[in-house]
Amino acid sequence: MNKFIKLLFGKPGNPVTLEETTALPNCTNCGAELSGPFCSNCGQKKEHKHDLTVLNFIGHTLHEFTHFDSRFFKSFKYLVTKPGYLTEEFIKGHRKNYINPIRLFIIINIIYLFLPSVNTFTTPLQTQMNDRYRNIVRPMVNNKVNELGISYAEYEKEFDKKIKEHAEMLIIVMVVLFSVLLSLLYFSQRRYFVEHLILSLNIYSILLFWLSIGFLFFELVFFVLLLSVEKIMVLGHLISKPEAHEKLVKLMALSGEDVFLSIFLTIVILIFLFGSLKRIFRESNFVTFLKTIVALAGLYGIVLIYRLLLFFTTFYTLHISKTEEPYTQHWVSISKEKTSSLPWIKFEWTGDSLGKRYFDKAAMKVPVEIENLPHAFDMQFDMGSNVTMLYENPIKPYIGQYGILKQKLLQDKKEKIDGKPLQQMKGMLLGLDSQYFKSDFVILNNGYGDRLTKDSMFTPTPKQIGTIGVDICHDIILVIDYPNKRFCLLERLPDEYNCDFNDFTLSSNGKVILDMIFKDKKYKVLFDNGSSLFPLIVKHNMMDAFSKANNTDTLSISSWGQHIDFIDRPLKDSIYIGGRAFSDIEIYTSLKPGQENIPTECDAVTGNALFWNNIVIIDFKNKKFGIK
C-alpha cells in the first residue's frame, strides 16, 4: 500500500513551508545563486515572507491575468495528473513555469459555466425548491409570487436568469470557505492562510473540470442508452415481452445522470483530496485518510451553504415589477419552435363498447408529456371540462417519485368544482407534440382514475392521467381537423382556413355555446368534444319535438363516475349549426329526466360525431365558429 501511495503521490518527506523557502540563498525556481532581488539566470523574483500575504497575492494575480501562454497547458496537465503538485510547486517558489492558481481556476470556471445544463453550482429555482432547505425556500417563493401577482413560471424564468449571474461571482465563496476548513484541520502546522487558499483553488479547479467532463460523458452515455431502449421497446412490443427493457427504463428514470455523476465526482475528489493532503502536509496515511473524509464532508456541506447563500442573494436582488392586472388562469404557450407549417397536435380515437354496440370514436386521446418526465402519458381532450385536470389515482405515484411534481402541488389552496374542493397544481408544464404550455391552474381530481402500482409506472404503455379542458383554448384559435385526427392552437388563422363564421358565446366557466336553428326556432347548444358518441343530446322534454318514431336503442354510459342510460331516435327535421344543415342523424336524451348533463343555460349538447368529416374552427378571441 505504501509503495502504491509513494508511486502515485510522491516520496514522503518533511512538509514544505514558506519559512524554509525564503531562507534559501539560491533561486527557488532554477537553483542559481542570487546576487540581487531577481535571478540572473531565469528572472524569477527572490522569495520574501510578504509574497504570500493576501494583498501581494491579489496584486500578482492581476498581473498574471493579462499574460496567457503555454504555461496554462503545463499547469493543467499537472493539475489533472498529480494531485497537490501545483500547490507544492507554488509553496516551494517554483512559479515561473506555471499559471497563477486563481487564473487557472477562473479559466476552468468559465468553461464550466459555458455548459448550461450543469446545475450543481448554478442551481436554478427548481433545484432550490427541492433541496434540503426547501422548507425555507418554498414559503418565501410562494409568498413572493403571490405578492407580485405573477405566475410561478414567470418568476422562475427571471430567477434562473439572475441566479446564473450571481453563480459566476459567488463560486469563489466556496473556495474561501474550504480554505478556512483546511486551516482548521492543519492548524498545528501554522501555515499561511494563502497556502490553504492555493490548495483550495486547485481542488475546486479539478472539481469543476471533472464535473464538466463527467456531465458530457454521462450525457453521451444516456443518449446512447435511450436510443438503445427505443429499439428494445419496439422489439418488446413485437414479441409481447416489454419486461426485457423495463428494468433499464426504471434505472434511468430513478437514477438518471445526477446519481452517476455524483458517484463519479465523489470518487475523483476523494482520490484528489487524499493525494493533495498527503503531498502538502506529509502526515501518515491513516491521519491523512481521516482528514480527507472530514474535508470531503466539509466540501459537500459548503456546497449546501453556497446554494443557500446563492438563493438569498438572488431572492433579495431580483426586482420584478408588480403587475397591475390580475393574473388570468389561462394556459400560456412557451414553445420556442416557429415553423412555416401549422403546429399540429395529433390525437387518436379510443373505442368503447356500450351495451351491444362498439363505438370506435368514443374519445379524443392526446399523447402528452408532463414536466419532461421519462414516461408515456395521454389525456382526453374534453371541452366539456372547464379546467384541465390530472386524476389523483394514476398521477399519485409519480408525485411521490418526482419532487418536481410534489413542489407544484398546493397543499393549502383548493378550488371547488361542482361543490367539491379539489387541490391545485401550480406551474405545470404540458407537452403536446412539439408544443409546450404552462399553467398555474391545474386541478388534481381526488380519487379519480385508475390506480397504479409503483412497478407499473415504468411500463411502456401510456397511462391515462387526466383531461385537457377548454381552458387551454382561451384567447386563441382552435382548429380541429377531424379527418386527419389532429388539432392546433393558433394566434392567427391562415387564409386557407377562412370560411363562413357565426358568432358564439362563452358560458360563465368558458365553454362554447353555439346557436342552433330547428324549425325557425333558435336554441342554445353546448359544443363538447368530450361527447364524442352523440351527434346531438337534447333535454328530455324536447325529445318528442325533435324526433320521430320510437326509441331505437338504449345505451348505458359512465360520465365522471355517474351511470346514465340514454335513448336515441332519428332526427325529425334538419338542424342548422354554424351555418350548416344536418339531417339523417340520431339524437339522444337520458332515459330519466334531468340526467342529460346539459348546462342550465343550454338546450342541447353536440359533440364530435356531428363533424367527423369536417374541420371545425373556434376563434376564442373574436367569438367566431366555422365549419370547413
Side-chain angles (χ1 to χ4, degrees):
M1 181 63 182
N2 286 333
K3 289 183 179 180
F4 173 75
I5 293 173
K6 288 179 184 178
L7 179 66
L8 188 61
F9 302 121
K11 196 172 182 180
N14 295 324
V16 180
T17 67
L18 187 64
E19 299 288 343
E20 297 173 0
T21 300
T22 54
L24 294 174
N26 298 335
C27 173
T28 55
N29 185 59
C30 68
E33 186 176 350
L34 293 172
S35 57
F38 293 93
C39 176
S40 58
N41 184 48
C42 70
Q44 177 165 298
K45 185 175 177 293
K46 176 177 170 57
E47 293 293 325
H48 294 281
K49 291 183 180 181
H50 72 270
D51 286 341
L52 284 187
T53 63
V54 174
L55 288 178
N56 187 73
F57 177 72
I58 293 173
H60 187 66
T61 297
L62 293 175
H63 172 76
E64 286 288 315
F65 193 69
T66 59
H67 298 76
F68 183 85
D69 52 34
S70 60
R71 292 179 301 164
F72 168 77
F73 300 103
K74 184 175 182 180
S75 301
F76 183 75
K77 181 184 75 171
Y78 288 128
L79 175 72
V80 176
T81 59
K82 289 189 174 183
Y85 180 78
L86 286 180
T87 305
E88 184 181 42
E89 289 290 277
F90 188 91
I91 295 172
K92 285 181 177 179
H94 302 168
R95 304 170 199 160
K96 191 72 176 176
N97 297 325
Y98 309 107
I99 194 172
N100 183 274
I102 198 167
R103 189 172 165 211
L104 178 64
F105 169 78
I106 291 172
I107 293 171
I108 295 177
N109 188 22
I110 291 172
I111 296 172
Y112 163 79
L113 291 171
F114 184 73
L115 299 173
S117 297
V118 185
N119 295 328
T120 302
F121 298 137
T122 51
T123 52
L125 185 59
Q126 178 184 320
T127 304
Q128 296 278 4
M129 295 283 277
N130 287 287
D131 220 322
R132 290 179 176 84
Y133 46 82
R134 55 186 174 272
N135 291 334
I136 300 174
V137 170
R138 288 181 182 179
M140 293 177 65
V141 172
N142 291 336
N143 291 338
K144 178 61 72 173
V145 169
N146 292 333
E147 176 190 328
L148 294 172
I150 61 175
S151 70
Y152 176 85
E154 290 174 290
Y155 184 81
E156 181 183 32
K157 179 181 178 182
E158 295 301 319
F159 187 95
D160 289 349
K161 190 187 302 181
K162 191 74 173 178
I163 201 169
K164 189 166 184 179
E165 296 174 7
H166 290 312
E168 296 172 3
M169 299 180 292
L170 291 179
I171 286 181
I172 193 67
V173 171
M174 290 189 292
V175 175
V176 176
L177 291 175
F178 193 70
S179 303
V180 173
L181 176 62
L182 289 175
S183 64
L184 293 175
L185 280 174
Y186 292 96
F187 181 77
S188 61
Q189 293 198 14
R190 304 291 179 179
R191 298 272 185 153
Y192 281 89
F193 179 75
V194 169
E195 295 180 66
H196 300 295
L197 183 62
I198 299 303
L199 178 56
S200 182
L201 281 167
N202 287 332
I203 287 172
Y204 273 91
S205 295
I206 201 70
L207 173 61
L208 292 175
F209 167 73
W210 282 114
L211 185 60
S212 303
I213 294 298
F215 166 77
L216 293 174
F217 173 75
F218 286 111
E219 191 79 353
L220 177 62
V221 168
F222 273 79
F223 176 74
V224 172
L225 282 176
L226 283 172
L227 291 180
S228 302
V229 167
E230 290 298 323
K231 294 178 181 178
I232 297 171
M233 286 176 71
V234 173
L235 179 61
H237 284 299
L238 290 175
I239 63 177
S240 300
K241 291 184 178 179
E243 64 273 9
H245 64 275
E246 284 178 21
K247 288 186 178 180
L248 182 56
V249 174
K250 183 174 181 179
L251 175 65
M252 294 168 66
L254 289 175
S255 301
E257 298 167 39
D258 289 345
V259 172
F260 290 105
L261 188 57
S262 297
I263 295 172
F264 168 75
L265 283 175
T266 300
I267 294 172
V268 168
I269 298 304
L270 187 66
I271 294 173
F272 190 85
L273 269 175
F274 180 85
S276 299
L277 299 181
K278 180 69 178 177
R279 184 185 293 274
I280 302 302
F281 301 106
R282 305 295 182 178
E283 293 183 326
S284 68
N285 293 338
F286 179 73
V287 172
T288 301
F289 179 75
L290 290 180
K291 290 187 176 181
T292 298
I293 298 301
V294 174
L296 184 63
L299 190 147
Y300 283 111
I302 288 169
V303 170
L304 281 180
I305 295 172
Y306 160 80
R307 285 183 170 183
L308 192 56
L309 176 64
L310 189 59
F311 169 78
F312 281 119
T313 304
T314 305
F315 183 83
Y316 288 111
T317 59
L318 179 61
H319 300 291
I320 302 176
S321 299
K322 186 173 181 177
T323 180
E324 297 299 325
E325 298 180 1
Y327 175 66
T328 54
Q329 296 167 334
H330 295 168
W331 285 89
V332 178
S333 173
I334 59 171
S335 298
K336 297 181 180 179
E337 282 190 62
K338 299 294 182 184
T339 60
S340 56
S341 60
L342 295 184
W344 291 110
I345 299 166
K346 296 177 182 178
F347 69 85
E348 296 292 336
W349 293 111
T350 57
D352 197 5
S353 296
L354 300 174
K356 298 178 181 179
R357 297 169 61 182
Y358 178 77
F359 295 86
D360 60 348
K361 297 177 180 177
M364 296 173 66
K365 182 179 69 175
V366 183
V368 300
E369 292 180 21
I370 301 291
E371 294 293 337
N372 295 313
L373 298 182
H375 302 280
F377 301 117
D378 58 50
M379 300 174 73
Q380 181 183 354
F381 188 16
D382 182 359
M383 294 168 63
S385 173
N386 58 300
V387 293
T388 296
M389 64 180 67
L390 298 177
Y391 306 152
E392 182 190 30
N393 290 341
I395 200 66
K396 190 174 181 179
Y398 298 100
I399 293 176
Q401 185 68 49
Y402 296 100
I404 189 172
L405 291 181
K406 191 179 297 183
Q407 77 177 53
K408 295 177 185 295
L409 186 62
L410 302 181
Q411 301 289 350
D412 56 345
K413 191 170 184 181
K414 297 193 176 183
E415 179 72 13
K416 283 192 176 181
I417 303 294
D418 296 328
K420 180 182 178 183
L422 301 175
Q423 286 182 288
Q424 292 183 35
M425 299 190 75
K426 191 177 182 72
M428 285 295 298
L429 176 65
L430 187 69
L432 309 177
D433 267 350
S434 61
Q435 301 299 298
Y436 288 86
F437 303 85
K438 263 199 173 183
S439 174
D440 276 1
F441 192 74
V442 175
I443 294 299
L444 185 66
N445 198 343
N446 300 331
Y448 199 81
D450 296 329
R451 296 184 184 276
L452 294 179
T453 63
K454 198 162 186 178
D455 289 337
S456 64
M457 289 169 56
F458 302 96
T459 58
T461 306
K463 310 300 185 299
Q464 173 78 24
I465 49 92
T467 294
I468 301 170
V470 72
D471 56 334
I472 202 171
C473 306
H474 287 174
D475 296 328
I476 56 175
I477 302 169
L478 169 66
V479 179
I480 305 179
D481 183 351
Y482 285 101
N484 292 303
K485 296 189 295 186
R486 59 186 185 176
F487 68 94
C488 61
L489 302 164
L490 307 171
E491 291 291 335
R492 187 184 65 83
L493 187 68
D495 293 339
E496 61 265 31
Y497 287 92
N498 282 327
C499 60
D500 293 330
F501 287 98
N502 290 262
D503 294 334
F504 71 85
T505 58
L506 289 175
S507 68
S508 58
N509 53 13
K511 298 179 184 180
V512 176
I513 300 177
L514 308 173
D515 288 334
M516 178 180 71
I517 307 298
F518 178 71
K519 289 187 175 182
D520 298 326
K521 186 176 179 181
K522 185 183 288 188
Y523 297 87
K524 295 295 183 181
V525 57
L526 175 72
F527 177 81
D528 178 7
N529 66 341
S531 179
S532 297
L533 302 178
F534 310 120
L536 188 69
I537 302 174
V538 298
K539 290 183 177 179
H540 190 85
N541 59 3
M542 297 169 52
M543 189 63 165
D544 290 338
F546 275 74
S547 65
K548 56 186 177 181
N550 297 319
N551 301 345
T552 58
D553 199 1
T554 300
L555 296 176
S556 180
I557 70 166
S558 177
S559 176
W560 297 104
Q562 181 183 9
H563 292 282
I564 306 171
D565 291 326
F566 279 88
I567 56 174
D568 70 312
R569 298 178 189 172
L571 180 65
K572 183 183 294 185
D573 205 343
S574 296
I575 59 172
Y576 294 84
I577 297 177
R580 292 287 185 97
F582 297 92
S583 58
D584 298 326
I585 62 172
E586 298 289 314
I587 63 172
Y588 293 77
T589 192
S590 60
L591 187 60
K592 294 181 180 180
Q595 290 189 338
E596 308 92 349
N597 283 335
I598 298 176
T600 54
E601 66 263 47
C602 296
D603 304 297
V605 174
T606 186
N608 300 320
L610 203 61
F611 309 103
W612 281 336
N613 299 317
N614 301 107
I615 296 175
V616 169
I617 301 152
I618 308 176
D619 184 348
F620 283 82
K621 290 181 175 181
N622 302 300
K623 311 290 191 301
K624 299 289 184 182
F625 180 86
I627 304 171
K628 190 173 176 64

